[in-house]
Amino acid sequence: SYELTQPPSVSVSPGQMASMSCSGDKLGDKYCCWYQKKPGQAPVLVIYQDTKRPSGIPERFSGSNSGNTATLTISGTQAMDEADYYCQAWDSSTGVFGGGTRLTVL
Amino acid sequence: EVQLVESGGGLVKPGGSLRLSCGASRFTFSTYTMAWVRQAPGKGLECVSSIISSSNYIYYADSVKGRFTLSRDNAKNSVYLQMNSLRAEDTALYYCARELRVGPLTTGAFDLWGQGTMVTVSS
């Protein structure tokens, strides 16, 4: 079965850039999206089709996808961005999530 | 307000059954692919099942195949997840989610989520 691998944690200082990766076999050949998940809240879509931001998502969120790795980047990270982030793609009509990365804003 | 509202969760014994419901409001439900995504305590997200607008194609994760059945009633703007032969590992918060469409095209991403309904499988 298809797997997406994310680092368990990433730390960043306020105002700095945070990057987190999502790896999967030939992930660049698929569309990848990203969700922000805070405790007690439903997931929020922050990036879809590799690079697109839904309405209402701040411009500091951006995404890329090439080869075997997709990347979510948050520029000028704010305290409110502290959350778990999940990547997601489809393989053989199967929806697959990565294990999630906890972003800590120190 | 555009929203999804889940119901039907609860405490059930191993081997038991539950039926989850998800009601949609303020969007053209019949044109969207819908899905159930769960999160076990302390764990990540898992796409359990999804159903396209016409119900002609339904996907199940291997972990629930043969035990869960997904259906929808477009006239009632609702989607249902029948869960049978429940196991302890099915304990999770179950979210209903809508697949984002851009014009007539689907994107594979879920842009609208409910608040979830908790399912606990324990003796």
Side-chain angles (χ1 to χ4, degrees), chain A residues 33 35 37 40-43 45 48-49 86 88 90 93-95 97 99, chain B residues 37 39 43-45 47 50 57 59 95 100 102 107-110 113-114:
Chain A
C33 57
Y35 302 89
K37 177 72 170 67
Q41 298 182 21
L45 179 67
Y48 69 97
Q49 288 183 337
Y86 293 89
Q88 182 235 316
W90 289 81
S93 300
T94 300
F97 284 92
Chain B
V37 177
Q39 185 173 35
K43 302 295 185 181
L45 300 172
C47 186
S50 64
Y57 183 81
Y59 147 82
Y95 293 101
L100 172 66
V102 177
T107 64
F110 300 118
W113 297 68

Side-chain angles (χ1 to χ4, degrees), chain B residues 33-54:
Chain B
T33 292
M34 302 297 297
W36 287 91
V37 177
R38 68 183 180 185
Q39 185 173 35
K43 302 295 185 181
L45 300 172
E46 179 187 18
C47 186
V48 172
S49 186
S50 64
I51 184 169
I52 67 171
S53 57
S54 65

Side-chain angles (χ1 to χ4, degrees), chain A residues 29-74:
Chain A
D29 292 344
K30 312 174 192 301
Y31 275 135
C32 183
C33 57
W34 292 87
Y35 302 89
Q36 178 190 72
K37 177 72 170 67
K38 295 182 179 180
Q41 298 182 21
V44 173
L45 179 67
V46 295
I47 293 291
Y48 69 97
Q49 288 183 337
D50 299 337
T51 62
K52 299 175 181 176
R53 280 180 292 105
S55 174
I57 299 303
E59 291 184 6
R60 65 180 181 272
F61 288 87
S62 63
S64 64
N65 185 15
S66 180
N68 294 322
T69 304
T71 303
L72 174 68
T73 301
I74 309 173

Side-chain angles (χ1 to χ4, degrees), chain B residues 44-98:
Chain B
L45 300 172
E46 179 187 18
C47 186
V48 172
S49 186
S50 64
I51 184 169
I52 67 171
S53 57
S54 65
S55 301
N56 285 347
Y57 183 81
I58 304 173
Y59 147 82
Y60 298 99
D62 287 343
S63 56
V64 306
K65 202 171 293 183
R67 301 188 297 123
F68 289 12
T69 302
L70 182 59
S71 62
R72 66 189 293 161
D73 185 338
N74 288 338
K76 294 184 177 180
N77 291 337
S78 294
V79 62
Y80 309 100
L81 186 65
Q82 177 66 43
M83 304 187 297
N84 298 330
S85 303
L86 282 163
R87 306 166 179 166
E89 53 264 37
D90 295 318
T91 295
L93 185 61
Y94 284 72
Y95 293 101
C96 178
R98 179 187 78 174

